[in-house]
């Protein structure tokens, strides 16, 4: 698996498709922290959403960066489409871990906060950033070109899901709340708990994080299941 991840990292870096999503996240974070000082958890809540949107974009560009023939050859050599897909997911998770770490530590290093962040709040923020980043990745799994051949449709669907999930608090005023919690990716609960973490006990935050983790596991498990049953010789 380590060799497969190394192959994905080399292949993706050569394609240079990482530039758009990575540059987008960096620019958004720099703009957010261009004014000082900033409140700690509210700022972390905002950058967690940036990581979520950027990771979804990153996932889509990563999953579409290989030529179909190159992908088929890799699957044949591995003798397992599920192993290939698991390697792709782990590579994306590794990228999210690094990006989230840089984005969480940047305001601490540059003194952008109006008070000391503290280790507990940094760990809380890092976990939230990683969860939302992986959540963005799992959504992009279902919109790659081998699943949605027309990229314009995939981009439109991704944009709709991102907007609805970030604004789920407003959507819940129109649609019954249980449906919103089940159908939409749990971005808003994590964002809300991060923003209000200083006034909450640890249990509501853990509940929101567990909700996001369960959603990620379900999406990833079904994706891997379907990958093992797909005929990649017929994909684009």
């Amino acid at each position: 698996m380590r060799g497969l991840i190394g192959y994905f990292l080399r292949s993706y870096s050569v394609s240079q498709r990482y530039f758009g999503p990575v540059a987008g996240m960096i620019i958004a974070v720099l703009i957010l922290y261009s004014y000082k000082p900033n409140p700690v958890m509210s700022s972390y809540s905002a950058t967690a959403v940036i990581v979520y949107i950027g990771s979804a974009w990153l996932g889509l560009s990563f999953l579409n960066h290989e030529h179909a023939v190159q992908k088929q050859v890799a699957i044949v050599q591995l003798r397992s489409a599920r192993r290939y897909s698991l390697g792709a997911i782990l590579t994306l998770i590794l990228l999210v871990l690094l990006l989230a770490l840089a984005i969480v530590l940047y305001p601490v290093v540059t003194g952008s906060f109006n008070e000391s962040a503290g280790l507990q709040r940094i760990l809380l923020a890092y976990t939230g950033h990683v969860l939302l980043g992986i959540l963005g990745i799992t959504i992009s799994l279902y919109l790659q070109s081998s699943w949605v051949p027309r990229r314009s449709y995939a981009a439109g669907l991704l944009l709709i899901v991102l907007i609805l999930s970030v604004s789920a608090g407003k959507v819940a005023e129109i649609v019954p709340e249980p449906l919103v919690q089940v159908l939409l990716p749990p971005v808003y609960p994590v964002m809300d708990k991060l923003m209000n973490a200083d006034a909450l006990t640890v249990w509501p935050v853990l509940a929101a994080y567990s909700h996001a983790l369960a959603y990620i596991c379900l999406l990833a498990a079904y994706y891997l299941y379907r990958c093992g049953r797909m005929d990649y010789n017929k994909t684009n």
Side-chain angles (χ1 to χ4, degrees), residues 44-55 129 132 166 187 191 194:
Y44 276 146
S45 177
T47 53
V49 174
I50 292 172
V51 170
Y52 167 63
I53 296 171
S55 296
H129 281 67
L132 290 194
V166 172
V187 177
M191 184 177 67
L194 272 177

Side-chain angles (χ1 to χ4, degrees), residues 78-148:
L78 290 168
R79 299 179 181 178
S80 171
R82 287 198 179 105
R83 190 177 180 195
Y84 172 89
S85 301
L86 180 61
I89 293 173
L90 292 177
T91 305
L92 283 168
I93 289 175
L94 176 62
L95 294 175
V96 165
L97 290 173
L98 296 174
L99 285 168
L101 183 64
I103 290 173
V104 168
L105 291 182
Y106 173 77
V108 178
V109 174
T110 57
S112 299
F113 289 141
N114 59 358
E115 59 180 319
S116 174
L119 182 59
Q120 183 177 345
R121 289 197 287 189
I122 290 173
L123 290 175
L124 196 68
Y126 182 63
T127 307
H129 281 67
V130 169
L131 282 172
L132 290 194
I134 298 175
L135 189 58
I137 285 171
T138 52
I139 292 168
S140 70
L141 295 175
Y142 292 87
L143 297 173
Q144 59 182 291
S145 58
S146 57
W147 289 62
V148 182

Side-chain angles (χ1 to χ4, degrees), residues 29-36 38 43-44 47 106-107 112-113:
V29 171
L30 290 178
I31 292 174
L32 178 69
Y33 289 118
S34 61
Y35 297 97
K36 300 179 183 179
N38 297 275
S43 300
Y44 276 146
T47 53
Y106 173 77
S112 299
F113 289 141

Side-chain angles (χ1 to χ4, degrees), residues 52-53 56-57 60 64 139-140 142-145 148-165 184:
Y52 167 63
I53 296 171
W57 183 8
L60 209 55
N64 292 336
I139 292 168
S140 70
Y142 292 87
L143 297 173
Q144 59 182 291
S145 58
V148 182
R150 295 193 66 170
R151 295 190 180 183
S152 58
Y153 288 175
L157 287 171
L158 180 63
L159 189 60
I160 291 171
V161 172
L162 294 179
I163 292 172
L164 288 177
S165 55
L184 289 181

